[in-house]
Amino acid sequence: MAHQNSTFRRARQVQQERVVPHTINGVTEMVTERYTTAVPIPPREWDRLVRGAVTGATALTVAGSIAWSTASIGDLLARTVHPVIGYGAAGVFDLAWISCMALEWLARYDRRKAAGPMKAGYVALVIAMAAVCTHGILQGGHGAIVVGAIGALVSALAKGMWTMSMRHFSVDLDDRSQQWVEARLSAAHARLATAAVTRELARVEGATADMHAAYQTPAIEPGPDPDKPRGQRVDSVDPVVRGAILAAIATMPGATPREIVDRLVHARIDTDEDTVRAVSGQTDSRSATLHDLDERRDTDNITDTVRHLVRKGVTDEDTLFALVRYVHADAKADTVKRIARRVG
């Protein structure tokens, strides 16, 4: 039976090529041979054909709905405005609910996001149907109300066919699978948002660099922490850790680096006190205490502080500036350097 079925299977003839040996006078060469083979034709996919036919019919129905609504509502609006404006505005009525259904289809795997376009689509449909019905009634004549109602049903039928088509092509998920999909979509959206922010930051940094290059001004770099090795930058800290530290600083004013580290441990953020100081821009109090700076905040001016530090043996310009800023928050790097050269 299987042999009989294979005998009546439809097939098409296909020209193919293969490389075969060919010998003449004892010399063999590889040559190309063309031959014909029968390739079975797969059975028709009637489900696919029917779906395609329904999709085409739905598209024609929607196109007819747009044409009918535009003609009816355009004629209604042309009574008060120029026909070009009236018919242009009439196209908005059906396009509104059609666009909402397209957005609903795009958000078919996100129930919360799809709810908004679905509700807005029904509202837009009701408005379009009311406008078409109003046009039929205002035309007057026998059975005007019936004509207006039947005309309004054109948009309703178009939306109904589109809705049924969307539901046929959509996939129903159980609650747990839906939650899994939403979690994956949330993660994907977070990555997209991160990429957008990174791209915007790169654009801003590029524009800033171009501005400094155009006006020949040096880019502003943060002063180094005197308790860290030279060359260490705050931007080397992981963005997630830096964001958590800044959030903790904002919600815990006056907290010490140790307290912030302890708080972040509960949030599963692994960091240390030096990183907290680097992100916050605070000078380590140990360095300030070493140079007797705490007691000079209310008594010294910038010159007195610079002179004191130079006498203590602080000669590195970056370290000197960071320590002066610990006492005088408004100190400028150029001012500190100028004073250091004068008192040195």
Side-chain angles (χ1 to χ4, degrees), residues 117-199:
M118 181 179 64
K119 295 177 182 178
Y122 281 112
V123 172
L125 173 65
V126 171
I127 295 174
M129 293 177 61
V132 173
C133 186
T134 301
H135 172 263
I137 294 174
L138 293 180
Q139 288 296 101
H142 181 69
I145 297 179
V146 176
V147 173
I150 294 176
L153 289 177
V154 174
S155 295
L157 288 173
K159 180 174 176 60
M161 287 190 64
W162 197 336
T163 301
M164 295 301 296
S165 298
M166 288 175 56
R167 290 181 178 177
H168 178 77
F169 287 107
S170 63
V171 178
D172 292 331
L173 301 176
D174 60 84
D175 185 64
R176 295 180 62 179
S177 298
Q178 182 67 41
Q179 293 182 45
W180 184 90
V181 170
E182 291 177 356
R184 299 300 299 171
L185 286 174
S186 178
H189 294 159
R191 294 186 64 181
L192 286 175
T194 302
V197 172
T198 302
R199 185 167 55 249

Side-chain angles (χ1 to χ4, degrees), residues 305-315 320 339-340 343-344:
T305 304
V306 173
R307 182 182 294 109
H308 171 76
L309 291 171
V310 171
R311 291 176 179 176
K312 286 283 188 176
V314 179
T315 57
L320 178 64
I339 297 173
V343 302

Side-chain angles (χ1 to χ4, degrees), residues 193-248:
T194 302
V197 172
T198 302
R199 185 167 55 249
E200 182 66 15
L201 288 175
R203 185 190 67 80
V204 172
E205 291 175 357
T208 303
D210 292 341
M211 182 192 69
H212 286 302
Y215 291 99
Q216 297 182 352
T217 58
I220 300 176
E221 296 289 344
D225 188 336
D227 294 304
K228 288 185 173 293
R230 293 291 303 276
Q232 182 170 357
R233 294 173 57 89
V234 176
D235 54 11
S236 63
V237 180
D238 183 87
V240 176
V241 176
R242 183 167 64 249
I245 292 174
L246 293 176

Side-chain angles (χ1 to χ4, degrees), residues 244-245 248 259-271:
I245 292 174
E259 292 172 340
I260 293 177
V261 170
D262 293 339
R263 173 62 65 86
L264 294 180
V265 167
H266 297 289
R268 298 183 179 179
I269 300 296
D270 186 17
T271 185

Side-chain angles (χ1 to χ4, degrees), residues 6-315:
S6 62
T7 303
F8 294 101
R9 181 180 301 173
R10 295 189 307 161
R12 66 177 185 272
Q13 300 299 317
V14 178
Q15 291 287 335
Q16 296 184 352
E17 295 181 351
R18 60 189 173 190
V19 178
V20 297
H22 185 64
T23 304
I24 298 179
N25 295 330
V27 179
T28 302
E29 297 288 350
M30 302 301 293
V31 298
T32 301
E33 179 185 52
R34 295 178 176 83
Y35 65 99
T36 302
T37 183
V39 177
I41 299 176
R44 292 185 181 275
E45 298 183 26
W46 292 107
D47 289 347
R48 181 179 179 183
L49 293 176
V50 172
R51 284 197 298 266
V54 171
T55 302
T58 302
L60 290 176
T61 303
V62 172
S65 173
I66 294 176
W68 174 259
S69 296
T70 302
S72 300
I73 302 174
D75 184 61
L76 176 65
L77 298 178
R79 301 184 182 194
T80 57
V81 297
H82 192 278
V84 175
I85 300 176
Y87 282 93
V92 175
F93 284 80
D94 266 7
L95 288 176
W97 64 260
I98 292 173
S99 299
C100 288
M101 292 198 69
L103 292 175
E104 182 183 352
W105 168 257
L106 293 176
R108 60 189 180 278
Y109 299 121
D110 191 334
R111 292 175 295 186
R112 289 172 295 183
K113 184 178 291 186
M118 181 179 64
K119 295 177 182 178
Y122 281 112
V123 172
L125 173 65
V126 171
I127 295 174
M129 293 177 61
V132 173
C133 186
T134 301
H135 172 263
I137 294 174
L138 293 180
Q139 288 296 101
H142 181 69
I145 297 179
V146 176
V147 173
I150 294 176
L153 289 177
V154 174
S155 295
L157 288 173
K159 180 174 176 60
M161 287 190 64
W162 197 336
T163 301
M164 295 301 296
S165 298
M166 288 175 56
R167 290 181 178 177
H168 178 77
F169 287 107
S170 63
V171 178
D172 292 331
L173 301 176
D174 60 84
D175 185 64
R176 295 180 62 179
S177 298
Q178 182 67 41
Q179 293 182 45
W180 184 90
V181 170
E182 291 177 356
R184 299 300 299 171
L185 286 174
S186 178
H189 294 159
R191 294 186 64 181
L192 286 175
T194 302
V197 172
T198 302
R199 185 167 55 249
E200 182 66 15
L201 288 175
R203 185 190 67 80
V204 172
E205 291 175 357
T208 303
D210 292 341
M211 182 192 69
H212 286 302
Y215 291 99
Q216 297 182 352
T217 58
I220 300 176
E221 296 289 344
D225 188 336
D227 294 304
K228 288 185 173 293
R230 293 291 303 276
Q232 182 170 357
R233 294 173 57 89
V234 176
D235 54 11
S236 63
V237 180
D238 183 87
V240 176
V241 176
R242 183 167 64 249
I245 292 174
L246 293 176
I249 293 174
T251 56
M252 301 170 60
T256 64
R258 181 71 261 169
E259 292 172 340
I260 293 177
V261 170
D262 293 339
R263 173 62 65 86
L264 294 180
V265 167
H266 297 289
R268 298 183 179 179
I269 300 296
D270 186 17
T271 185
D272 52 42
E273 297 180 38
D274 291 336
T275 304
V276 173
R277 295 188 189 96
V279 172
S280 64
Q282 299 173 351
T283 304
D284 190 350
S285 59
R286 291 177 300 175
S287 298
T289 303
L290 178 64
H291 298 290
D292 302 325
L293 295 182
D294 286 323
E295 59 188 26
R296 294 179 176 274
R297 284 186 169 180
D298 300 325
T299 59
D300 282 4
N301 55 33
I302 295 179
T303 301
D304 294 335
T305 304
V306 173
R307 182 182 294 109
H308 171 76
L309 291 171
V310 171
R311 291 176 179 176
K312 286 283 188 176
V314 179
T315 57

